Amino acid sequence: MTSRQIRQQFLDFFASKGHKIIPSAPIVAKNDPTLMFVNSGMAPLKDFFLGNQTPPALRIADTQKCLRVTGKHNDLEDVGRDGYHHTMFEMLGNWSFGDYFKREAIAWSWELLTEVYRLPKDRLYVTVFKGDAAENLPFDEEARTEWLKYVPEDRILPFGKKENFWEMGEQGPCGPCSEIHIDLRSDAERATRDGRELVNADDPNVIEIWNNVFMQFNRRADGSLEELPAKSVDTGMGFERLCRAIQGTPSNYDTDLWRPLFDFLEKYTGIRYEGTYPGLHTDWKMTDVAMRVVADHLRAVCFTIADGELPSNTGAGYVIRRILRRAVRYYYSFLEQKEPLMYRMAPILAEEFADVFPELKAQIDFVVRVVLEEEKAFLRTLESGLRRLESLEVHKGILDGRQAFELYDTFGFPIDLTRLIAREKGWTVDEAGFEKALQEQKERSRKDAAKTVGDWTVLRDESDVSFVGYDQLEVDDAYVLKYRTVQVKGKPQYHVVLNRTPFYPEGGGQVGDTGWLYFGDEKIQVLDTKKENDLVIHYVERLPQNIEAPAVRAQVNVHRRRLVENNHSATHLLHAALRRVLGQHVQQKGSYLDDQTLRFDFAHFQKVTDEELAQIEHLVNEKIRENIALEEARSIPLEEAQKAGAMMLFGEKYGERVRMITFDPTYSRELCGGCHVKQTGRIGFFKIVSEGAIAAGVRRVEALTADAAERHVAALEREMASIRALLKAQEPARAVAELQEENKRLHKEIERLLWQQASQVRQQLRQQAEQRNGFAVVTAVTTLSDTNIIKTLASELERELGTAVVALGSISGEKPLLTLRISEALVSKYGLHAGNIARELAQKYLKGGGGGQPVFATAGGTDASRLLEAVEAVKGYLP
RNA sequence: GGGGCAUUGGCUCAGUUGGCUAGAGCGCUGCGUUCGCAUCGCAGAGGUCGCGGGUUCGAGUCCCGCAUGCUCCA
């Protein structure tokens, strides 16, 4: 059975049991501050369990893209070393929201595994929750009873809270779970040891494949548990493991899911993949580990980029960069590949997953480009790190830990490569010193990030929060549901949640609203509005006295909101214009808009030319002048919007019902939750102010609308007018070019004259030279002022006179300058030192200081009155 | 969000504790060598040392701020 069939059968099976099949949510977690990436099938459905949103159906099932880089048994550094850990993986899941419970969940999981997939029953074990006295939780008798219908008693194993009780967080839904484990050992091994002993014992061949969570309790803030009225089921089955179990391969990596990637690697590198593992095979190959790392990380990187998260130096983007770089490190060190490689593999992956996750194939050119650039950048970093490492001074064969850390921390050179090279050179690395520096760095960051989130004070326990800001900018009958204080760097922030609000929370690139809340006579400023798990949070300047006021008036800053709307609608018009002018490959990669400006990032591979920009700007302005009326479909089924041709974004999670914003059905139609003008005419005027690159394959356009655009143009005109006035020219550009030319010519002319003057002075001084003890001495105060010329003059004189001492005084501005040159021969013969002489003279006569080399020195000061004396005094130092 | 590092001709980089006339290689221009090209030789152009303050007699070099890039950590 192929992996495609296995996946499809899962979905078909649950569809036949009345489940609605939903597409995978994007792998990048948005809207959830506690999570960067979706790490389980359940994560995108959290709001349904918390009651913040209604699920599209009571029974749903899907395969979800997941990414795990940290966790108790899954450190990024371990991936590739064994056969069952991955960064990116698929999780199959079926859910019941207050619908079926243990009986059906258990029956169906057994049916699917044994009858559809035909896994041997005698290799399956199940676990149930054995209860916990301290928590006052009973043995999960119900699950055991259900299992007894299919599984003999001795294969139903009880486990405690750690393995078999699941909680979403410190509060909220939780409950016992029941896992299905499979014993994949050979018959011979099975004969020697009972599989029951190996369940939950970290044996690579006796593994959990399916977890069924039965949510039946709610954990309250005080830690107590209450029985939920509507009980739910949440299940998750690791797809890669399931494929391994069904296909009977020695590890996940030997299934057909990975074969095409290994085929490519074998062909490209000429190294055979042998499927060995450290710890399992005595003759294991590092090349095998490296190939698994590359193949695994490729999947993580490609799918995440396709979902809109680009490699960067911060946040989720940084995690992606780290994963990609780990892969590069492995192929660079162990597969002997010194050129970009993974970008060639991305299309293979896209083809493999074209039917399940089409978003990758749809954007493959873009993904390839980004991966290539990122690989190139890191290979450059490696090269320069190597050079730096080569030039380090190493004492007693121990590479200083701080130096190793500096290479890593400042120059991004991986510590394991440092170790590898150190070993080749016969050095050891001071690991303790490295570790200490790393811990210090972590401590610094943690300390900074420290913010204490106070508990919510709940005034009314209602979960129904409504946003009315599309239609109203003011409500006068709201009340506070809850509030809290958050300490950020010692400064308090106050958060307030209302039952109804006209305030738009930051999202979809649009800034949050500001405005005011009136608690009776008390007026509180709203500084910002943000969303957390579908909860609208008002950031206020302070908490009111009367926070329990029954009727709070909430008023959005209307003027600001209107400007934001202008920019948001203009962004839609711009998006459509870009696609018309540049082509359909233009995909939104991000946007930001507030009351001042708008920014729009999109996939495009070349610079947008000035002509194209002009065309785009013109098209948008044309649409503004057409004064198109907004068509808003506030809640229509997703399929209907798709049929209508609405633009959807990759990496965006859409619900069952969506909001569709149209400005002329033949021009712009997007799914969007933001705020818009009623007529495009309101935008007034659209002006692009900049275009540039922000990442590989991503361009950014910044533009202004309405008053801001007008002000911008007016400022440009004023500036132009003043330039024209100054130049008194019709063609300022040409006039400036001519001026620059002229200026350059004059500069050269002045320099030429100065040198001419200097050369006259030189001839004069040469004649004035005194002879003593077989060398020439020149002492003089000149009227030259350019220090460079004087320095040159001194050295030329010295050269012309053969063996000589040249001491020149000059005045630059108000300040005296002494330049002293002594021939090398005199320096070595008499031990003269120009620097020391200059310093002493400057201190004595000039109220200053000086210094330099034995043969050449300069000195200066603040008092020029005794300059001549100083120059003459040089003679006192000479033999 | 918090650290570290970097920013010097078109490109890649040197520039010791502040003081030799800001350099090197590649590239560019011209001339020569050559039937021509590559090569080689000679000559030359090209730099507000990221920006703004400060310390100093003197700052590419030290201090502060800003910008941009790289990098590590959260």
Side-chain angles (χ1 to χ4, degrees), chain A residues 14 155 193 195 202 219 409 436 499 542 584 833 849 865:
Chain A
F14 281 102
R155 310 177 73 83
R193 195 167 172 196
D202 281 332
R219 167 96 53 193
D409 179 54
K436 183 162 172 279
N499 69 319
R542 62 191 157 82
Q584 297 298 305
H833 193 292
S865 60

Side-chain angles (χ1 to χ4, degrees), chain A residues 44 52 87 147 266 289 319 345 495 587 646 740 776 841 849:
Chain A
N52 295 343
T87 48
W147 278 122
E266 288 188 330
V289 175
V319 175
M345 299 169 74
H495 297 175
Q587 277 286 334
Q740 282 178 330
L841 293 175

Side-chain angles (χ1 to χ4, degrees), chain A residues 196-411:
Chain A
R196 284 188 299 181
E197 297 170 20
L198 298 172
V199 168
N200 276 335
D202 281 332
D203 187 293
N205 291 315
V206 182
I207 53 176
E208 174 215 327
I209 51 173
W210 203 345
N211 189 7
N212 281 251
V213 179
F214 308 118
M215 290 193 212
Q216 62 187 115
F217 303 110
N218 181 40
R219 167 96 53 193
R220 297 164 103 167
D222 62 10
S224 67
L225 291 165
E226 64 181 350
E227 191 92 6
L228 283 170
K231 298 180 174 60
S232 299
V233 175
D234 156 34
T235 85
M237 175 153 60
F239 176 61
E240 290 76 9
R241 296 181 171 195
L242 178 66
C243 289
R244 175 197 166 193
I246 294 172
Q247 296 180 358
T249 58
S251 87
N252 295 359
Y253 288 98
D254 300 298
T255 61
D256 65 333
L257 275 169
W258 306 84
R259 201 58 246 174
L261 300 179
F262 289 137
D263 284 345
F264 173 87
L265 283 172
E266 288 188 330
K267 212 167 122 197
Y268 191 79
T269 65
I271 301 169
R272 215 164 72 81
Y273 177 69
E274 298 179 26
T276 63
Y277 293 90
L280 285 184
H281 306 90
T282 48
D283 58 344
W284 65 277
K285 302 274 194 309
M286 198 59 194
T287 53
D288 285 348
V289 175
M291 283 183 174
R292 284 190 293 268
V293 168
V294 172
D296 175 275
H297 292 6
L298 176 80
R299 293 178 13 135
V301 167
C302 289
F303 282 112
T304 312
I305 294 173
D307 277 344
E309 188 67 53
L310 297 173
S312 76
N313 58 358
T314 163
Y318 182 55
V319 175
I320 295 312
R321 174 166 284 173
R322 256 169 52 202
I323 295 174
L324 183 136
R325 290 183 169 199
R326 180 166 185 258
V328 174
R329 236 159 67 207
Y330 272 80
Y331 71 63
Y332 185 90
S333 300
F334 305 114
L335 300 177
E336 302 302 328
Q337 299 300 311
K338 310 293 179 197
E339 297 292 325
L341 163 68
M342 292 164 78
Y343 76 101
R344 296 172 185 271
M345 299 169 74
I348 302 172
L349 195 64
E351 218 43 65
E352 283 298 304
F353 285 88
D355 50 345
V356 219
F357 305 127
E359 58 275 11
L360 182 53
K361 191 175 177 184
Q363 303 175 87
I364 190 63
D365 291 343
F366 174 71
V367 174
V368 164
R369 184 81 161 230
V370 172
V371 171
L372 172 61
E373 288 304 320
E374 199 56 26
E375 288 188 86
K376 283 208 283 211
F378 187 53
L379 288 167
R380 270 200 301 273
T381 300
L382 287 182
E383 292 300 329
S384 75
L386 279 176
R387 254 180 295 149
R388 207 165 277 275
L389 183 55
E390 289 299 330
S391 67
L392 283 186
E393 282 184 28
V394 172
H395 299 288
K396 296 178 187 164
I398 297 171
L399 182 62
D400 189 80
R402 283 189 314 273
Q403 286 187 335
F405 182 73
E406 191 195 23
L407 272 173
Y408 165 73
D409 179 54
T410 301
F411 301 104

